[in-house]
Amino acid sequence: MRAPVPTQVQPSSPLQGGARCGDCPIRYRAVCAQCEGDELALLERMKFYRSFEAGQPIVWEGDRMDFVASVVSGVATLTRTLEDGRAQMVGLLLPSDFLGRPGRDTAAYNATAATGVVLCCFRRGPFDQLMQRIPHLAHRLLEMTLDELDAAREWMLLLGRKTAREKIASFIAIIARRQAASQKRRPAGRIVLELPLTREAMAAYLGLTIETVSRQMTALRRDGIIEIVGKRGVTLTDYARLIAESGGTGDDGATA
Amino acid sequence: MRAPVPTQVQPSSPLQGGARCGDCPIRYRAVCAQCEGDELALLERMKFYRSFEAGQPIVWEGDRMDFVASVVSGVATLTRTLEDGRAQMVGLLLPSDFLGRPGRDTAAYNATAATGVVLCCFRRGPFDQLMQRIPHLAHRLLEMTLDELDAAREWMLLLGRKTAREKIASFIAIIARRQAASQKRRPAGRIVLELPLTREAMAAYLGLTIETVSRQMTALRRDGIIEIVGKRGVTLTDYARLIAESGGTGDDGATA
DNA sequence: CGCCCGATTGACTTGGATCAAACCGAGTGG
DNA sequence: CCACTCGGTTTGATCCAAGTCAATCGGGCG
């Protein structure tokens, strides 16, 4: 995994119809995971893809939102903003995560592509109807929402009680854990990874300023916990040492 | 609403069978809201009540949890703790809110009764089966979970970006809004209310220390935004002024 | 080459934490 | 009836982690 984050600079255009669901990389993790046969066929017929380049907005808080979607590849962020501009990230959407709320027609958050992003979209009205007709869909979405709620609560613990250093360590640990999971390994020892967020986005995620993020990154480097490669590259000298700096309770916390 | 918080010192015992669901105060807001006739009868047959006095633990993180429940009356809190003891509240359960996760047999959080609490409980196994059989149940739970997720995200914004004064003002505003809602009014002008949490619990909720909570309460009093009555009593001189101190974006945020 | 944007570093300020005393009201028992 | 205790709360003095303001760096690109 040394390749740079796939910055998917696709021509933000059709790709329509695209691949068969059977070949989809998130086939068994997304909202459609439990659907088979007819059910999957229904979804397959109505799905359409949309791509976004890194940095592009996906939807803006308050905008009408006539679709829901699964993240196929890339990373998107959800942020909430106070009138005076203070912004807090409230969701980090990774491949297979779900964007949008069935039954709600207005976006509650700003969604932005942090890297290149490909979404598998469904028009909201028809999707809402499918939710009624296909219990598998509703069940899977419930499961995913409960997972996100758990992750959000883990995140609240981080925001409310961890120090800046612990926050940074926790964040890097989350990325490391997720990367390991996507390769069906368990994280350990020396790990090379690529952060999917800029310093600014990290600050928004962690409830810090960009300067503090930067300082703590260098502090962790000075202390030999990590090595910093370019803007996005980080190498852990030892996963366990990083965890020791994270303040604990990092059971998962990957999603939401 | 001047009466002290109903401290429901019930003999933490049976109450078994109790009232008919038809008379239940949370009949149309809890997880059972959309159930009628046969479905409701099934639930009615298997439900049982449990009561807890203020301060009592309900379940502890890691404990086996063989039931799920709706809060009938009172207020319960969910907290998450770091090894070294730092604690953050991650959920505030009000009447009609749901406790426990279908399909999970171990508590993920410490749940504590903040006031006297009455729970309407279901054994987890049978409830899980009902979830499969009664789509209304699953749909309602999904809806409630999505609401909690929204509330959790609002809370993350508070934890990550608001000042101590804004946090306190936001918290009081949430309580005021909820109280108004329970009386089907919209909050405005002068409002008398009773906080359902101690200073310590407020601090845990807001990611502050008890001293800072106390100081900011007195500061708001000095500035004429609130009056403080006893340990738990607060009177807003003007709801709008309080909101102006809260840093905004307080659309709801009541639950979770 | 020079610009631009994200990241880093430094100097200084400050909001909230920490440590340490009181305070206050509701029991409780002499 | 009053002294004592006890839990929750308030207040004060001091400290320090993180924020703010400002300058600089460094790589990619026109």
Side-chain angles (χ1 to χ4, degrees):
Chain A
M1 258 298 136
R2 8 198 36 253
V5 170
T7 315
Q8 311 255 16
V9 184
Q10 271 140 344
S12 184
S13 57
L15 226 160
Q16 195 75 354
R20 304 263 319 159
C21 287
D23 306 330
C24 182
I26 57 170
R27 170 71 182 89
Y28 294 107
R29 291 184 292 145
V31 71
C32 51
Q34 297 168 348
C35 298
E36 299 288 351
D38 293 353
E39 297 174 353
L40 194 60
L42 275 170
L43 287 169
E44 180 138 31
R45 210 168 314 132
M46 64 186 276
K47 81 173 198 286
F48 59 100
Y49 292 103
R50 293 181 63 186
S51 326
F52 299 84
E53 294 176 35
Q56 281 188 339
I58 295 173
V59 284
W60 227 237
E61 190 179 330
D63 283 2
R64 181 160 189 79
M65 187 162 170
D66 50 1
F67 69 98
V68 296
S70 292
V71 175
V72 176
S73 65
V75 176
T77 65
L78 302 181
T79 46
R80 200 96 167 70
T81 309
L82 260 14
E83 293 87 349
D84 65 4
R86 282 174 287 174
Q88 173 65 47
M89 195 185 298
V90 297
L92 185 62
L93 302 182
L94 308 177
S96 84
D97 284 339
F98 190 79
L99 172 67
R101 175 171 172 163
R104 165 145 72 193
D105 64 353
T106 319
Y109 313 103
N110 298 338
T112 310
T115 66
V117 166
V118 177
L119 299 182
C120 173
C121 305
F122 305 92
R123 297 207 313 112
R124 208 173 51 74
F127 187 86
D128 285 358
Q129 288 168 5
L130 277 200
M131 285 275 296
Q132 304 293 331
R133 289 228 308 281
I134 308 182
H136 282 154
L137 208 53
H139 268 105
R140 178 65 188 136
L141 187 58
L142 174 58
E143 205 169 75
M144 292 175 69
T145 307
L146 286 165
D147 284 342
E148 283 207 35
L149 187 55
D150 280 342
R153 286 170 167 168
E154 194 67 35
W155 197 339
M156 286 172 49
L157 175 60
L158 176 149
L159 288 173
R161 296 301 181 197
K162 290 192 177 180
T163 65
R165 166 181 268 243
E166 289 169 339
K167 287 177 176 181
I168 299 287
S170 300
F171 171 70
I172 298 177
I174 287 173
I175 302 300
R177 236 176 282 125
R178 163 164 71 86
Q179 180 181 282
S182 77
Q183 302 169 11
K184 300 193 187 296
R185 291 186 296 96
R186 58 175 36 261
R190 189 179 180 81
I191 302 181
V192 178
L193 47 82
E194 202 70 37
L195 302 178
L197 301 183
T198 63
R199 295 285 183 269
E200 183 168 18
M202 286 177 62
Y205 184 125
L206 300 170
L208 298 172
T209 59
I210 207 173
E211 293 96 328
T212 300
V213 170
S214 194
R215 274 188 255 273
Q216 296 299 335
M217 292 284 288
T218 23
L220 287 174
R221 173 167 56 68
R222 262 200 313 271
D223 298 347
I225 316 284
I226 62 174
E227 290 155 22
I228 298 180
V229 176
K231 285 188 197 310
R232 301 292 190 94
V234 168
T235 302
L236 316 190
T237 56
D238 179 16
Y239 178 73
R241 281 188 74 194
L242 182 75
I243 294 301
E245 297 291 339
S246 74
T249 319
D251 24 26
D252 72 335
T255 316
Chain B
M1 262 297 137
R2 14 197 33 250
V5 170
T7 315
Q8 312 254 17
V9 184
Q10 271 140 344
S12 185
S13 58
L15 225 159
Q16 195 74 356
R20 305 263 318 161
C21 287
D23 306 331
C24 181
I26 56 171
R27 171 69 182 93
Y28 294 107
R29 289 185 293 145
V31 71
C32 52
Q34 297 167 351
C35 297
E36 300 287 350
D38 293 354
E39 298 175 351
L40 194 60
L42 275 170
L43 287 169
E44 180 138 31
R45 210 167 312 135
M46 63 185 277
K47 80 174 198 284
F48 59 99
Y49 292 103
R50 293 181 64 186
S51 326
F52 299 84
E53 296 176 34
Q56 280 188 339
I58 296 173
V59 284
W60 227 239
E61 190 178 332
D63 283 2
R64 181 161 187 78
M65 188 163 170
D66 50 0
F67 68 98
V68 296
S70 292
V71 176
V72 176
S73 64
V75 176
T77 64
L78 302 180
T79 47
R80 200 97 168 66
T81 309
L82 260 14
E83 294 88 348
D84 66 1
R86 282 173 288 174
Q88 173 65 47
M89 195 186 298
V90 297
L92 185 62
L93 303 183
L94 309 177
S96 85
D97 284 339
F98 190 79
L99 172 67
R101 176 171 171 163
R104 165 147 69 195
D105 63 354
T106 318
Y109 312 102
N110 298 339
T112 309
T115 65
V117 165
V118 177
L119 298 183
C120 173
C121 305
F122 307 92
R123 297 206 315 111
R124 207 172 53 72
F127 188 86
D128 284 359
Q129 288 169 4
L130 277 199
M131 285 274 297
Q132 305 294 331
R133 290 229 305 282
I134 308 182
H136 283 153
L137 210 52
H139 269 105
R140 177 66 187 135
L141 187 58
L142 174 58
E143 205 168 77
M144 292 174 70
T145 307
L146 286 165
D147 284 342
E148 283 206 36
L149 187 56
D150 279 341
R153 286 171 166 168
E154 193 67 35
W155 197 338
M156 287 173 48
L157 175 60
L158 176 147
L159 289 173
R161 296 302 180 195
K162 290 192 177 180
T163 65
R165 166 181 268 244
E166 290 169 339
K167 286 177 175 180
I168 299 288
S170 299
F171 171 71
I172 299 177
I174 287 172
I175 302 301
R177 236 178 280 125
R178 161 165 72 86
Q179 179 182 284
S182 77
Q183 302 169 9
K184 301 194 187 298
R185 292 187 294 96
R186 58 174 36 260
R190 189 178 180 83
I191 302 181
V192 178
L193 48 83
E194 203 71 37
L195 302 178
L197 301 183
T198 63
R199 296 284 184 271
E200 183 167 20
M202 284 178 62
Y205 184 126
L206 300 170
L208 297 172
T209 60
I210 208 174
E211 294 96 328
T212 300
V213 170
S214 194
R215 273 187 255 273
Q216 295 299 335
M217 292 283 288
T218 21
L220 287 175
R221 174 166 57 68
R222 261 202 315 274
D223 297 348
I225 315 284
I226 63 175
E227 291 154 22
I228 297 179
V229 176
K231 285 187 195 312
R232 301 292 189 93
V234 168
T235 303
L236 316 190
T237 55
D238 178 15
Y239 179 74
R241 280 188 75 193
L242 182 75
I243 294 302
E245 297 292 338
S246 75
T249 319
D251 25 26
D252 73 334
T255 316

